[in-house]
Amino acid sequence: MHSDHRNTDQKHILTMRYPAAWWRSQWREAMPSGNGCIGASVYGGVYEETILLNHELLWRKGSTPELPDVSAILPEVRRLLAEGEAEEADGVLVKCLRTSGYEPKIASPLPLGDLKIYMPQHSAFRSYERRLNMATGEVTVRWTVGETAYERSLFVSRTDDSVVLAIRKQGPLALEATMTFQPHNPEDTRRPGTAYIPEAPESKRDGHYLYYAARNNDGSDFGAVARIVNRSGTLGANEREYSIKDAESLLVIIRLFPSGKREEQWERLTFELRDLAADYEMLLARHASEHGRLFHASSFDLRAQGRERSNEELLMEAYRGEVPDALMEKMWAYGRYLLISASREKGQPCHLYGLWAGDYDAVWAFHMVNENLQMMYWQALSGNMSGLMLAVFDYMDSLMDDFRTNARLLYGCRGIYIPAPTAPDSGLLKHLQPHIVHWTGGAGWVSQLYYDYYLHTGDIAFLRERAIPFMREAAWFYRDFFILGENGFFVSSPSNSPENTPGNYWKGPGHSMGTTVNATMDFAIAKELMRNLADGLRAIGESEEEENQWRAMLERIPPYQINEDGAVREWMHPDYDDNYHHRHQSHAYPVFPGIEVTRQNDPALFDAFVQAIRKRLVIGLKEQSGWSLAHMANNYARMGEGDLALECLDILGRSCVMNNLMTLHNDWRGMGIGVDMDWAPVQLDANMGWTAAVQEMLLFSVPGELHLLPALPTRWIRGSVGPLLARGGVQCELSWDREEQMVDVTLRTCSGRQAVRLILPDMVARIQEFEFRPGQPVNVKLDERPRRLRLELKPLS
């Protein structure tokens, strides 16, 4: 029988000892496979197997009425804010939109359907396990009955755009199976009666083909075709399902369609499947080569013991207080695996459920640009997977007309305004809540991703043709939106610091009043955007006049303000007091995820931002969430606090991680960690943020400057990572051993000859080949040939 160990080691294998068991929502504990376009979730039942199928383009359509022009009301909102009437100003724009009849509804991912497999068992099973090989994307379910071993293996082919399933047995007993398509369980909805359940479902069999379709709320069909190849056996006569007895093996190849007319799509997919080679091993090898190219582009190794242990065993150890190294390796790899499996060039960006949403009313399953989408992709560039970022840029570029409409009709501005939530069918404002309407930083924050892609790859064509045009329109909005105050600095009004309420307006948990003036995050994003735009224009050698205009605007952005307690203020306005009782840390943007303020370039301001981050701890664990713990881990990594970053991951590991290692928004078991909710939504941003935090602990970069092991946790005695991709286009591989007092560093530039400054951790005692003075940077010249350096460490204390 096939073994999924062939191309990997145990640190890339996730093993579970029991099937998905979460009542009514088994898909949450399923094993995921995907090719960036199609997702398959394997529940793992022995007798009754369910494989949930999803397609990136299948969404329940939203409603998109014409957005009214409410920009004329903006002066009234600003007048109220200027007069200290923030609570009255809070609802003005939203009320105007609603009285104009604007009641939109945002789209939501829609489960395509389930492949059901029934395999009668004549004796009780033994030796059950299900596995995911992250290096290949192959999910395998195994068990034995007497002397016969059974196995189902599945992957979603990146090269052949198909779900491929093999069912095998080895031993004297027969292989008996019945397969059919059916709509996904209609009970999988958080609010029964409110979600759209697909209509007109149809399943049928024609020879060795199964057909399935249902109808979306826009009248279009979606569905699937499966080609089934059996080795021996007797085929049943049922016209709605494929039933076979006494077979040696089965091969099932499935293709999906997200829209169209069912009869036409069935015919098209049938012809495509006929031409596809019915060879599991060949299809797997072809897929694994491409999937593996991405997965193995970087690695992380802590020389962990116990990698062969199951997820359940590793999580039980994590519940004792510390995530074991074997689970740390797997969680880093899993975040990487999920992003690869749910994202690809010319596809849709990964949202919070990836390609594995089984809820008909999935909570927050759209693209959120007030942190969630960004956190999904923080790992991609440093993790040497820059190509995955292109899905984000393709998505944003496709919605530019809607973003321009938002800017013009909401605020009377040129350029673009990106609402916090969007969906593939529309970039128009769809959520009528003041804290959404008044947050104007979306386009600027997304601009960071565009420019960071250029900084990491050195792709000057991308900078000229895609990044600068996008950034220019984001900056145009600020040019029109900001007003000049009496002190000569810009005023941002209305303003919002996601998703916080100022302390003097806060009335306890659950209360929100976020309409303010001069949120620090507004100016942090605008400053970063204008500086990057000006620097980008200089890099491509165009429009010195335009460059100077943006640099002149930089002079009008007010300086950051510091409270009496030494922390940077969240609102740069005397009318709004800081409120530390909130998990968001938006005003720390210049330290993370931005790179404006570092300990090296402005130590005093850096310490004020660190103080602001520390002040947030007053909220305690009960107000945290999966994503906020991941965000805090990244913040601590930037602060150089590796042990505190690791502690955040330890807490995350025992509070918001399910047994398939997917992360949830909050602890669902009443363990005292995370916000109280009536539901625990899947949120894969914590998975991705975990991977990003590990990379931040081991390498931080600004153009021309690499910080090696800036936040190495004490527990990580030895290990290796890389290649990680640094800003400036430098690939960095690191291995360390504290007991041997050694760090090996290999550097290679991907963008021509350059010099970089190395910022070394305090534990370094000596560096070979170069003059080294503790506390001083080391200058290294690089070219495309690998340059190896060896650092000697101080003895362990």
Side-chain angles (χ1 to χ4, degrees), residues 205-465:
R205 179 179 73 86
D206 184 357
H208 288 267
Y209 288 84
L210 279 175
Y211 297 90
Y212 166 73
R215 188 165 299 143
N216 206 340
N217 64 340
D218 64 351
S220 176
D221 291 331
F222 61 84
V225 178
R227 176 190 175 195
I228 306 170
V229 180
N230 59 291
R231 183 181 167 200
S232 71
T234 303
L235 191 62
N238 192 303
E239 295 181 356
R240 294 189 67 254
E241 60 190 27
Y242 186 96
S243 183
I244 193 165
K245 294 182 177 180
D246 298 322
E248 288 296 316
S249 66
L250 295 173
L251 174 66
V252 185
I253 309 175
I254 306 168
R255 285 200 167 174
L256 314 180
F257 67 95
S259 62
K261 296 181 179 180
R262 61 185 68 187
E263 296 291 347
E264 293 176 0
Q265 297 301 314
W266 283 346
E267 182 178 12
R268 175 180 65 85
L269 294 181
T270 299
F271 280 116
E272 291 178 3
L273 287 168
R274 283 175 184 165
D275 293 336
L276 203 58
D279 186 329
Y280 184 91
E281 299 299 331
M282 186 198 75
L283 294 172
L284 175 62
R286 196 152 64 190
H287 157 76
S289 176
E290 177 60 16
H291 176 93
R293 179 185 65 82
L294 294 165
F295 186 79
H296 292 298
S298 189
S299 66
F300 171 59
D301 192 319
L302 291 176
R303 316 292 191 261
Q305 302 295 314
R307 291 171 176 167
E308 73 287 347
R309 289 184 292 172
S310 68
N311 291 6
E312 296 92 344
E313 292 170 307
L314 293 169
L315 285 169
M316 288 299 289
E317 184 175 339
Y319 297 154
R320 304 292 293 176
E322 294 182 353
V323 171
D325 286 349
L327 182 56
M328 186 64 63
E329 291 175 341
K330 291 175 190 281
M331 287 296 292
W332 175 86
Y334 196 46
R336 183 178 184 86
Y337 168 80
L338 291 172
L339 187 61
I340 291 169
S341 300
S343 191
R344 66 191 297 172
E345 185 178 356
K346 301 187 185 304
Q348 295 294 312
C350 181
H351 59 71
L352 290 176
Y353 289 72
L355 289 171
W356 307 286
D359 196 324
Y360 283 104
D361 186 26
V363 181
W364 304 317
F366 27 70
H367 299 297
M368 294 285 288
V369 298
N370 65 347
E371 168 139 15
N372 306 103
L373 181 138
Q374 289 90 335
M375 184 181 282
M376 304 292 280
Y377 284 89
W378 283 341
Q379 60 157 311
L381 291 171
S382 64
N384 212 19
M385 301 184 295
S386 57
L388 297 185
M389 297 291 297
L390 297 174
V392 178
F393 307 140
D394 292 342
Y395 175 80
M396 295 299 168
D397 291 353
S398 73
L399 297 174
M400 289 294 280
D401 285 344
D402 284 349
F403 298 157
R404 294 182 188 110
T405 298
N406 291 330
R408 185 178 75 255
L409 299 184
L410 293 176
Y411 289 110
C413 295
R414 294 172 297 165
I416 56 175
Y417 166 97
I418 303 180
T422 63
D425 66 328
S426 174
L428 294 178
L429 175 73
K430 291 293 186 75
H431 272 230
L432 302 188
Q433 298 294 331
H435 74 280
I436 298 293
V437 177
H438 296 151
W439 187 64
T440 57
W445 195 345
V446 172
S447 294
Q448 182 198 70
L449 301 181
Y450 277 79
Y451 197 69
D452 234 16
Y453 180 89
Y454 158 69
L455 289 180
H456 283 81
T457 65
D459 188 339
I460 199 75
F462 176 88
L463 176 65
R464 178 185 296 108
E465 296 164 12

